[in-house]
Amino acid sequence: MEFLLSIRPVLAIAVSLTAAVLILCLRNRANLRDAVSVAAAVVKFLIVISLAPLVLDGGTHDLTLFEVLPGVDFAFRVDALGMVFATVSSLLWILAALYSIGYMRSQNEHAQTRFFAAFAVSLSAAVGGAFAANLFTLVIFYELLSLITYPLVYHKEDKASWAGSRRYVVYLIGASKSLLLVALALTYHLAGTLDFMPQGVFGGTDASGALLSVVYLCYLFGFAKAAIMPFHAWLPAAMVAPTPVSALLHAVAVVKMGVFCLLRVIFYVMGVDLMSSLGLAIATAYLVSFTIVMASIYALTRDDLKARLAYSTVSQLSYIILGAVLLTPMAAVGGVTHIAAHAFSKITLFFCAGSIYCASHRRNISDLAGIGRQLPWTMGAFFIGSLGMIGLPPSGGFISKWYLVLGSVEAGELVFLTVLLASAVLNAAYFLPVTYTAFFEKSKPPQGQTLVAMQDVREVPMVAVPLLITAILSLVLGLSPGFFVDLAQLVMRGAGLG
Amino acid sequence: MTDLPVLSILILLPAVGAVLTPFLRKDPIVRWFSLLVLFADFLLALWVLLNFDPNTAAMQFGEHRVWVPNLGISYRLGIDGISVWFVVLTSLLGWICVLASWWSISIRVKEFMTCLLAMQSLMIGVFCALDMILFYILWEAMLVPMYLIIGIWGGANRVYAAFKFFLYTLAGSLLFLIGILLLYFGGGQTFDVLALMEVQYPFPLQIWVFLAFLVAFAVKIPMVPVHTWLPDAHVQAPTAGSIILAGVLLKMGAYGFLRFSLPMLPDASQYFAPMMIALSAVAIVYGGFLALAQSDIKKLIAYSSVSHMGFITLGLFTFDAKGMSGAVIQMFNHGITTGALFLFVGIIYERTHSRDIAAYGGLIKVVPLFGILFAAFLLSSMALPGLNGFIGELLVLAAAFGVSGWAGAAGALGALVGAAYLLGVYRQMLLGEVKTPGDVFVWDLGRRELACAAPLLLFVVWFGLYPKPFLTILQPSLDHLMTQLNPTAVTP
């Protein structure tokens, strides 16, 4: 396998860190400051995508900066799995940056400099995690992401946002200071290394299966950003954040970081063989299946649009993990592709929720009757996003779920096939009515005083354009999924599944 | 290597300063003079570090002068890869203490600086001493200036706190002296530390000496249940006193184990290891929960020290290469981080005269520089990955799991509780609605305060990501210690 010593992974991380510093310096010049966000996002994406050709040929970009402890380096490696995560995050940052500018300005939000600076740093953390070559480096960026998103979650600084952000931090830091720390310490103790290895790191150890299972469980729940039940409650709580944060961070960067870490653990720390021989894979599959179904049921009962989207995210994240733990080639491809498919569709849906809020100050689905006529672009995009969640063609969600279904057939597990199909039905049941209400129900006079009267609701162009682009991208992904599917197949083969 | 008695200069420079200070006239001159002396001492310590040979476990910069020949007492100095770091730590915190007391100490400045300088001389002496009696004398003498620092320049209840501190440590020290005499008459007939390490003592004698040493060191660390002097001393001590206490004095107990108990009494150390690990686990968890319950910021940090020092003793008594290097690096890092936390508490106390956590809020908005740096030190204390606390915690926990699942679990619980109270402080004091005790005006860090914080922050980031220089210098001495502990073990 070809590998290239490359400084570019570090550049990709440094771009947004530099941008954050510039943003802080330009706090009194709003236009310039916001231009920096967009420019940094574009540059970051270009750097990330320039790494792709080699990775698609099966190579990696490597950079070891220095040794931290014996067997532990501070090092980066760009491989196929990292490429998927980094491409998705950095591409969507461009759109989220544009969207944020429109959203924050139209809402006259306070502390915009803090907002954009923290946003930029969180993208560094996400891409740093994607390119981390070992658990130590990964965890540094994982924790940085928890920390830097905290001010974004409490952004409004009202009672609700203090309560929500408190739960956010308690869950994420609590899980990592207890379970993740134990998992790392045990891994280092047993294996003497924190590196990622294609067949896992525990090959040469004589540790008992029970102990290794404990290590795995500590990872599974310690990476609480993956939001597997019962460690999911931080995600709905994080919805107190401004919508651009919910869109890029709590539908893409932060939650995918959790899932990404788990895929790293499943494929490169535990290894496929150990996952299967200890029965951990099948146990996890049942656990995430429960999460898929339960979260959908929660979503069904939520009238607040963002809360419904949040529970939907909890459910969809578990699809990705299910794809990994079925341990079949097709399922793995489906799981990894779903990282991208879910990202494009879910960010569209959140952008729509934000657009609705900007235009009308409405949060509840029951208040949206007739809004489709006022916001045709937004609600049209919402419909396209919903297709991705349900898994209908021509969306990207169709491709990934198709592979997942094939994978569960391949695994010969009808239970999971049933879960996937049942969940598709549930998704339809909680997303399609939103579109129906918006377009086909008669509008009612607003009850709350803060709501804008329906006839005065107008699209806000600055937020509508990015959401149309993401909606189109989610369709492009369905029609031409080659880039992500090829990467997913590389991940699958690299993990020893095909 | 040079022929200059570098370590003696390092020790005597502050001592000479302490002697000269009373002859100076004006307070500003006293302050600048003390600062210069201690900063020169720091530069000298850095020079020692840079000229330290990391390839040997032997004592370096050695000095030997006969002192009381018919009793076998001599003036013997030397440092290895362990003690060199504590010399650096002590000399770094020394000049920071002067800066931290710049305006907050306004009465009897001369006397205060004399105490600080004397303290510095004695503390560096303790880490360099290779003669048991010399060590003991320096160790005891330290009590006097520390007693004065707390008792004269402390808070409202300072006399009680100083007395308690004095009594606890003195009681421990007396047993320490008995232990030293037992070692002398039990076979060594010498007070030379290196020679005593070579003597094979019978097991029963080792047991008794270990217990005698344990009392002395456990009080200093402090281990549960002899920790109760610490919160009182910290709360009443002036900022510089707290920095010295937390940064250096607490380390001396752990250093005692490293220098004496483990290499001289290997069998007893092995025998008592399960008990020591259990006591450490109790300290980690109990100290953590006590910290969680505090409303006084200084008390909270004091109890967090009890918990964090538990990690150090836990790591030492795993007798594992990872655990011991984790413990030593944790000793250094705790000195940096907790020293910084007390510094910052002192800075805000100077402005508001309140230690009540709940009386503060939103400081990051009023004093952003203070807020961001204080947050960084809180996160370092919480062992955020990428900052210095994490390395020690990870190594100690990895080793603890090798010894006992329960010890590891206690460590993890302590880490979790630590995150809870430190994030609690972060949230309450720095975020939320802006409030200060009595709505007094607070101003941001000045240049003097930044100068104190900058080197500490440097270590926080540097040793969080790149602790290799530390470990490289430490490793040969630690490997040597491992062979002394267990002659058959060959460490890689």
Side-chain angles (χ1 to χ4, degrees):
Chain A
M1 200 163 73
E2 191 190 352
F3 74 92
L4 190 73
L5 189 68
S6 172
I7 187 83
R8 276 177 286 170
V10 175
L11 286 182
I13 298 162
V15 166
S16 35
L17 281 179
T18 317
V21 175
L22 282 176
I23 288 167
L24 290 175
C25 294
L26 295 170
R27 60 186 172 278
N28 294 324
R29 305 182 63 182
N31 290 334
L32 207 54
R33 175 196 70 195
D34 294 354
V36 167
S37 276
V38 178
V42 172
V43 172
K44 191 181 188 82
F45 175 69
L46 290 177
I47 296 175
V48 168
I49 208 71
S50 79
L51 298 166
L54 180 68
V55 175
L56 281 168
D57 285 343
T60 56
H61 296 265
D62 288 73
L63 184 66
T64 300
L65 290 181
F66 46 79
E67 186 186 55
V68 179
L69 293 170
V72 181
D73 292 332
F74 190 72
F76 298 99
R77 159 169 291 178
V78 185
D79 66 355
L81 185 57
M83 200 63 215
V84 172
F85 182 35
T87 310
V88 170
S89 319
S90 61
L91 173 59
L92 290 179
W93 185 29
I94 303 176
L95 297 159
L98 289 170
Y99 181 88
S100 305
I101 295 167
Y103 183 92
M104 300 302 277
R105 290 188 175 193
S106 75
Q107 297 299 299
N108 278 324
E109 285 282 353
H110 75 133
Q112 291 194 21
T113 301
R114 178 181 81 194
F115 176 90
F116 283 106
F119 216 100
V121 177
S122 54
L123 263 293
S124 284
V127 172
F131 293 163
N134 54 47
L135 275 167
F136 182 85
T137 315
L138 181 59
V139 166
I140 286 180
F141 287 106
Y142 180 91
E143 300 292 358
L144 175 63
L145 189 57
S146 304
L147 210 68
I148 199 69
T149 48
Y150 183 41
L152 293 171
V153 176
Y154 71 65
H155 180 86
K156 288 197 181 115
E157 301 190 26
D158 56 9
K159 213 172 171 193
S161 65
W162 287 120
S165 63
R166 184 192 184 110
R167 176 175 279 198
Y168 182 74
V169 166
V170 166
Y171 267 72
L172 292 186
I173 303 278
S176 59
K177 279 319 280 189
S178 50
L179 301 169
L180 184 53
L181 181 63
V182 168
L184 285 176
L186 277 170
T187 306
Y188 192 47
H189 167 64
L190 295 170
T193 176
L194 293 175
D195 280 348
F196 298 132
M197 295 182 187
Q199 275 304 318
V201 297
F202 297 113
T205 62
D206 51 358
S208 69
L211 184 57
L212 291 179
S213 304
V214 169
V215 174
Y216 173 72
L217 284 178
C218 286
Y219 278 121
L220 189 65
F221 295 114
F223 284 121
K225 289 193 177 108
I228 296 173
M229 286 184 174
F231 283 73
H232 68 286
W234 64 269
L235 185 55
M239 293 300 131
V240 294
T243 305
V245 174
S246 310
L248 183 62
L249 297 174
H250 298 118
V252 183
V254 172
V255 289
K256 297 285 154 52
M257 180 72 135
V259 172
F260 173 81
C261 291
L262 281 181
L263 295 192
R264 284 283 192 220
V265 166
I266 291 166
F267 290 146
Y268 306 105
V269 176
M270 301 303 291
V272 169
D273 292 343
L274 205 57
M275 288 296 295
S276 131
S277 65
L278 291 178
L280 295 172
I282 192 78
T284 313
Y286 277 104
L287 186 72
V288 294
S289 295
F290 175 78
T291 305
I292 291 175
V293 175
M294 273 315 286
S296 288
I297 291 171
Y298 275 122
L300 207 50
T301 62
R302 293 297 187 276
D303 189 38
D304 184 304
L305 183 54
K306 277 179 79 177
R308 188 174 285 193
L309 291 175
Y311 278 107
S312 158
T313 303
V314 173
S315 166
Q316 299 277 339
L317 292 173
S318 280
Y319 276 76
I320 302 168
I321 301 164
L322 180 64
V325 294
L326 284 175
L327 300 182
T328 69
M330 290 291 184
V333 171
V336 174
T337 312
H338 200 58
I339 292 179
H342 172 253
F344 288 106
S345 298
K346 187 51 73 57
I347 200 171
T348 308
L349 292 172
F350 269 111
F351 279 174
C352 293
S355 169
I356 294 168
Y357 182 74
C358 271
S360 71
H361 285 199
R362 282 167 170 75
R363 299 161 175 278
N364 291 337
I365 296 159
S366 51
D367 291 331
L368 297 185
I371 206 167
R373 257 157 283 168
Q374 308 296 324
L375 302 174
W377 296 108
T378 297
M379 296 318 293
F382 193 92
F383 178 68
I384 295 172
S386 309
L387 293 183
M389 291 296 114
I390 304 164
L392 290 175
S395 71
F398 170 70
I399 307 292
S400 53
K401 291 202 180 178
W402 176 251
Y403 277 109
L404 282 172
V405 166
L406 287 181
S408 58
V409 173
E410 223 173 28
E413 295 282 354
L414 288 181
V415 186
F416 304 122
L417 185 63
T418 319
V419 167
L420 287 171
L421 296 178
S423 168
V425 173
L426 282 167
N427 269 285
Y430 61 80
F431 277 123
L432 293 182
V434 180
T435 312
Y436 179 83
T437 308
F439 280 110
F440 301 111
E441 277 183 17
K442 278 233 163 65
S443 60
K444 292 168 286 188
Q447 283 157 358
Q449 294 184 337
T450 54
L451 299 186
V452 179
M454 192 54 86
Q455 61 273 16
D456 298 333
V457 172
R458 294 280 176 278
E459 299 264 17
V460 180
M462 191 76 180
V463 300
V465 171
L467 69 86
L468 284 174
I469 300 175
T470 54
I472 292 166
L473 282 176
S474 77
L475 294 181
V476 170
L477 184 63
L479 298 170
S480 161
F483 180 78
F484 290 109
V485 172
D486 288 350
L487 286 174
Q489 277 173 339
L490 284 168
V491 175
M492 178 267 290
R493 279 192 224 106
L497 280 171
Chain B
M1 201 82 36
T2 107
D3 293 334
L4 268 178
V6 184
L7 294 183
S8 286
I9 299 175
L10 207 53
I11 295 167
L12 292 177
L13 187 63
V16 171
V19 172
L20 292 181
T21 310
F23 299 103
L24 299 173
R25 289 258 171 97
K26 291 193 173 118
D27 286 353
I29 298 175
V30 172
R31 291 190 183 108
W32 279 105
F33 176 75
S34 317
L35 181 65
L36 281 179
V37 169
L38 289 180
F39 197 77
D41 213 33
F42 171 62
L43 292 180
L44 189 60
L46 281 187
W47 184 86
V48 167
L49 182 67
L50 290 175
N51 287 281
F52 190 86
D53 177 8
N55 300 313
T56 168
M59 290 294 167
Q60 303 185 30
F61 300 97
E63 290 174 37
H64 180 218
R65 279 179 188 66
V66 178
W67 186 9
V68 190
N70 37 2
L71 291 178
I73 302 172
S74 54
Y75 175 83
R76 196 186 290 272
L77 303 177
I79 49 173
D80 64 356
I82 300 170
S83 44
V84 67
W85 284 108
F86 295 103
V87 171
V88 171
L89 177 68
T90 308
S91 63
L92 169 68
L93 293 177
W95 63 266
I96 289 179
C97 279
V98 176
L99 283 181
S101 318
W102 206 256
W103 299 121
S104 61
I105 300 296
S106 51
I107 50 156
R108 300 174 189 274
V109 178
K110 231 182 262 183
E111 290 82 348
F112 183 82
M113 293 299 171
T114 309
C115 284
L116 269 191
L117 289 161
M119 213 42 214
Q120 170 100 341
S121 167
L122 297 170
M123 290 188 298
I124 293 182
V126 161
F127 288 121
C128 297
L130 288 181
D131 181 277
M132 296 284 298
I133 294 298
L134 178 64
F135 181 93
Y136 180 76
I137 290 172
L138 294 167
W139 169 283
E140 285 295 283
M142 271 182 336
L143 283 184
V144 178
M146 199 61 214
Y147 175 80
L148 296 175
I149 288 175
I150 301 175
I152 298 177
W153 294 274
N157 210 4
R158 56 185 180 266
V159 176
Y160 166 78
F163 199 60
K164 195 169 175 182
F165 161 77
F166 197 87
L167 272 190
Y168 265 76
T169 30
L170 189 68
S173 308
L174 290 176
L175 283 166
F176 185 39
L177 181 61
I178 294 171
I180 294 174
L181 293 177
L182 278 175
L183 283 183
Y184 182 86
F185 292 111
Q189 301 288 340
T190 172
F191 292 113
D192 179 357
V193 172
L194 296 180
L196 285 171
M197 287 177 184
E198 304 299 321
V199 181
Q200 307 278 330
Y201 288 102
F203 186 63
L205 183 80
Q206 286 198 22
I207 294 282
W208 288 111
V209 178
F210 186 93
L211 287 175
F213 282 7
L214 173 63
V215 176
F217 300 152
V219 168
K220 264 272 167 25
I221 285 179
M223 297 176 77
V224 175
V226 286
H227 64 283
T228 56
W229 63 270
L230 184 73
D232 287 315
H234 267 314
V235 168
Q236 299 305 327
T239 300
S242 288
I243 295 175
I244 293 177
L245 257 181
V248 184
L249 288 201
L250 303 194
K251 308 299 159 324
M252 286 184 178
Y255 179 75
F257 281 123
L258 277 166
R259 183 61 79 229
F260 307 119
S261 300
L262 299 185
M264 293 177 192
L265 315 163
D267 302 327
S269 299
Q270 302 272 7
Y271 178 78
F272 282 115
M275 180 189 83
M276 295 302 291
I277 287 172
L279 280 176
S280 310
V282 170
I284 291 171
V285 176
Y286 182 63
F289 277 106
L290 282 175
L292 198 56
Q294 301 307 317
S295 58
D296 179 320
I297 178 72
K298 267 192 150 182
K299 266 203 171 142
L300 184 142
I301 302 173
Y303 281 116
S304 86
S305 288
V306 174
S307 179
H308 288 161
M309 293 303 292
F311 273 96
I312 292 167
T313 44
L314 174 62
L316 286 183
F317 282 89
T318 57
F319 301 135
D320 171 283
K322 283 194 199 93
M324 297 187 79
S325 56
V328 180
I329 200 166
Q330 175 85 344
M331 283 163 74
F332 187 85
N333 283 332
H334 180 264
I336 295 286
T337 301
T338 311
L341 286 178
F342 278 120
L343 173 71
F344 271 65
V345 169
I347 287 173
I348 198 73
Y349 183 81
E350 228 175 278
R351 289 148 168 73
T352 63
H353 300 283
S354 168
R355 293 186 307 262
D356 182 11
I357 298 169
Y360 293 94
L363 287 181
I364 214 158
K365 284 206 173 129
V366 218
V367 280
L369 210 52
F370 172 89
I372 287 166
L373 291 177
F374 190 42
F377 291 120
L378 284 172
L379 292 171
S380 142
S381 183
M382 192 187 104
L384 185 83
L387 300 183
N388 59 348
F390 183 65
I391 301 289
E393 193 175 276
L394 179 69
L395 287 169
V396 168
L397 271 189
F401 275 113
V403 178
S404 136
W406 288 109
L413 180 58
L416 179 65
V417 176
Y421 58 73
L422 292 164
L423 278 178
V425 171
Y426 178 85
R427 195 186 164 79
Q428 173 64 46
M429 290 183 69
L430 300 179
L431 307 179
E433 253 178 63
V434 175
K435 60 176 174 176
T436 55
D439 288 324
V440 298
F441 171 73
V442 288
W443 60 98
D444 212 342
L445 300 183
R447 263 177 295 179
R448 174 180 58 86
E449 289 155 338
L450 270 179
C452 298
L456 299 172
L457 188 69
L458 176 76
F459 276 111
V460 163
V461 179
W462 176 19
F463 282 178
L465 283 175
Y466 192 55
K468 202 173 176 190
F470 188 94
L471 295 171
T472 310
I473 289 182
L474 175 66
Q475 209 56 52
S477 302
L478 216 48
D479 288 344
H480 180 61
L481 179 59
M482 297 284 291
T483 56
Q484 287 172 323
L485 261 172
N486 188 359
T488 51
V490 182
T491 46

